[in-house]
């Protein structure tokens, strides 16, 4: 039975996260210690150095030969089910897009944002300090394993879609420019960038308006090369790949990381959790308001993050046979706040960045009572 002692341990584990967040917020909003340019510099330093080293440090300690593949399977089932669900919703919403316009709720872009809100969580920076007081080393090991899979599989899938969307927008612009007079193209500039156009004009060949097979082939290769370069240059993906590569070699040949290397990594990685939360606080302070997207989208985002995502994960966990403590861990990790990296991508590609930023900021603020509620409720389930 979960008692006040257990809950107090969780609170004690989470309060330091909010302290770092508050310091970041106060440094900008109240004390004016950093300018906007300095905030950008702090963000780049954390994204390019602190977080990759933090990810490498945890990933390098994973035993790839003793991972909990049933938990990973449940996670995969939940994400695939989410993709299928949003795809079915989009198809239904666009059934009559010939004679009548498609429903705005059926936007494919909204579907990918919904997938992000439902499935991509802040596993390392909030998951590790929260799981430790809840479930000890077992919980920490699980969230680290899932963070590896999220970095190597699910974020690249998200990035692939976003890059495809960007290419489609460019192709629509070029096709419209090729088929219209300069006056017509300049008189309606918004039309070619509307996301409904991107979804309903599948006959437009990317990069060229001539429809030639060679142009389409070169377009595909350009898309593949751009995505590959983006993934290869992503510091966090590089860190995770290096970390899992070392973990494989270390456990296969029984190697130990040289002290000089581990010390060099840890001197910055130990600051990972604190600086990540501090950076969220800075980001909060630079926003005009915490709920930047409006109450309706914010409410929907919170429902997807804290109710729909955990519910799908709970169902998937039962399907693959997770029970007891592992089931509890699976559900709670699915109720963690939104992954910060999902906002970075949303902002870079201009896809519902205000919705994702609200999920990151507001979701982090309300996660303490939500996670404690899930932690207490798990005693009465499975």
């Amino acid at each position: 039975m979960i008692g006040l002692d257990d809950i107090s341990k969780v609170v004690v584990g989470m309060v330091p996260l909010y302290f770092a967040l508050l310091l970041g917020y106060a440094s900008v909003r109240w004390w004016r210690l950093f300018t906007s340019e300095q905030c950008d510099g702090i963000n780049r330093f954390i994204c390019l150095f602190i977080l990759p080293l933090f990810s490498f440090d945890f990933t390098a300690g994973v035993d790839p030969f003793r991972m909990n593949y049933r938990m990973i399977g449940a996670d995969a089932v939940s994400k695939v089910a989410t993709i299928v669900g949003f795809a079915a919703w989009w198809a239904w919403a666009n059934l009559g897009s010939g004679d009548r316009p498609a429903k705005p709720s059926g936007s494919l872009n909204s579907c990918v944002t919904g997938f992000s809100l439902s499935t991509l969580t802040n596993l390392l920076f909030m998951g590790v300090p929260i799981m430790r007081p809840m479930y000890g080393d077992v919980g920490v090991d699980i969230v680290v394993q899932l963070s590896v899979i999220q970095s190597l599989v699910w974020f690249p899938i998200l990035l692939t879609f976003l890059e495809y969307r960007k290419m489609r927008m460019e192709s629509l612009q070029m096709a419209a420019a090729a088929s219209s007079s300069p006056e017509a193209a300049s008189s309606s500039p918004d039309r070619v960038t509307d996301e409904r156009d991107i979804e309903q004009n599948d006959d437009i060949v990317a990069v060229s308006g001539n429809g030639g097979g060679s142009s389409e082939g070169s377009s595909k290769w350009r898309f593949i090369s751009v995505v590959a370069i983006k993934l290869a240059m992503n510091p966090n993906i590089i860190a995770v790949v290096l970390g899992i590569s070392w973990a494989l070699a270390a456990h296969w040949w029984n190697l130990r990381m040289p002290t000089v290397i581990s010390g060099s990594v840890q001197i910055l990685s130990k600051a990972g959790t604190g600086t990540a939360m501090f950076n969220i606080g800075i980001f909060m302070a630079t926003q005009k308001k915490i709920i930047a997207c409006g109450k309706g989208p914010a409410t929907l985002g919170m429902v997807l993050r804290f109710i729909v995502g955990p519910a799908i994960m709970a169902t998937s966990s039962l399907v693959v046979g997770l029970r007891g403590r592992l089931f509890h861990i699976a559900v709670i990790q699915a109720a963690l706040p939104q992954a910060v990296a999902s906002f970075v991508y949303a902002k870079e590609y201009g896809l519902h960045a205000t919705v994702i930023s609200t999920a990151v900021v507001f979701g982090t603020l309300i996660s303490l009572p939500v996670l404690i509620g899930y932690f207490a409720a798990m005693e009465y389930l499975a």
Side-chain angles (χ1 to χ4, degrees):
M1 181 74 178
I2 294 174
L4 290 177
D5 243 10
D6 301 305
I7 294 177
S8 68
K9 289 178 183 177
V10 177
V11 174
V12 168
M14 291 185 68
V15 165
L17 302 178
Y18 287 93
F19 176 71
L21 185 150
L22 180 62
L23 279 180
Y25 182 87
S27 296
V28 176
R29 181 60 64 92
W30 299 333
W31 303 331
R32 311 288 181 182
L33 297 180
F34 305 113
T35 65
S36 58
E37 292 81 7
Q38 291 169 334
C39 289
D40 290 339
I42 292 171
N43 180 68
R44 286 185 61 80
F45 170 67
I46 292 173
C47 290
L48 295 178
F49 293 101
I50 298 291
L51 301 190
L53 288 172
F54 185 81
S55 298
F56 174 84
D57 196 17
F58 274 96
T59 305
V62 169
D63 185 349
F65 303 103
R66 300 184 63 182
M67 296 179 76
N68 193 313
Y69 293 106
R70 181 168 289 184
M71 178 69 75
I72 293 172
D75 181 61
V77 169
S78 71
K79 287 180 170 58
V80 171
T82 303
I83 292 172
V84 171
F86 277 113
W89 173 51
W90 172 75
W92 172 82
N94 287 276
L95 279 176
S97 58
D99 298 330
R100 60 182 176 83
K103 302 176 181 66
S105 61
S107 165
L108 191 58
N109 291 341
S110 297
C111 290
V112 77
T113 299
F115 168 77
S116 179
L117 289 168
S118 303
T119 62
L120 302 178
T121 57
N122 199 341
L123 286 166
L124 283 185
F125 309 119
M126 289 204 71
V128 169
I130 288 170
M131 283 295 176
R132 199 178 298 280
M134 285 184 177
Y135 300 106
D137 291 340
V138 174
V140 172
D141 289 343
I142 292 296
V143 295
V144 171
Q145 292 173 23
L146 292 179
S147 75
V148 171
I149 303 302
Q150 180 170 272
S151 295
L152 293 179
V153 178
W154 303 111
F155 273 124
I157 288 175
L158 176 65
L159 184 62
T160 299
F161 173 83
L162 292 172
E163 198 60 45
Y164 171 77
R165 172 183 176 269
K166 179 181 177 182
M167 187 187 73
R168 295 294 295 148
M169 290 179 68
E170 292 173 353
S171 67
L172 283 169
Q173 290 173 339
M174 296 184 71
S179 61
S180 305
S181 64
E183 293 79 8
S186 61
S187 65
S188 56
D190 293 336
R191 179 182 177 278
V192 296
T193 58
D194 185 85
E195 69 180 37
R196 188 79 55 78
D197 287 339
I198 296 173
E199 295 162 14
Q200 294 181 355
N201 288 277
D202 292 332
D203 58 323
I204 298 178
V205 178
V207 180
S208 173
N210 59 17
S214 60
S215 296
E216 187 173 1
S218 64
S219 171
K220 290 178 180 177
W221 279 113
R222 186 178 77 91
F223 168 66
I224 293 171
S225 64
V226 168
V227 172
I229 291 171
K230 286 270 188 180
L231 295 177
M233 294 180 65
N234 186 294
N236 203 56
I237 292 178
I238 293 171
V240 172
V241 169
L242 291 176
I244 200 67
S245 299
W246 168 258
L248 285 166
H251 287 89
W252 185 264
W253 288 301
N254 196 26
L255 302 176
R256 290 179 61 87
M257 186 176 293
T259 304
V260 66
I261 296 178
S262 62
S264 299
V265 171
Q266 290 175 5
I267 198 170
L268 287 178
S269 74
K270 286 181 178 178
T273 301
T275 54
M277 297 304 296
F278 186 88
N279 200 35
I280 292 176
I282 286 179
F283 176 73
M284 287 173 54
T286 58
Q287 302 299 298
K288 293 181 180 178
K289 49 187 178 180
I290 293 178
I291 302 179
C293 60
K295 295 180 181 178
T299 301
L300 179 59
M302 294 303 99
V303 169
L304 290 173
R305 172 87 309 274
F306 294 117
I307 298 178
V308 175
I312 296 174
M313 186 63 189
T315 305
S316 302
S317 299
L318 292 175
V319 168
V320 303
L322 288 181
R323 297 294 186 275
R325 176 174 288 193
L326 289 178
F327 176 82
H328 301 170
I329 294 172
V331 174
I332 291 177
Q333 66 82 29
L336 290 168
Q338 185 70 22
V340 178
S342 63
F343 165 69
V344 174
Y345 288 147
K347 185 177 181 181
E348 179 181 354
Y349 287 91
L351 180 59
H352 301 150
T354 57
V355 176
I356 301 294
S357 70
T358 299
V360 172
V361 173
F362 190 61
T364 300
L365 289 176
I366 69 171
S367 61
L368 176 59
V370 170
L371 291 170
I372 289 176
Y374 270 111
F375 181 52
M378 285 301 102
E379 182 68 19
Y380 303 98
L381 298 175

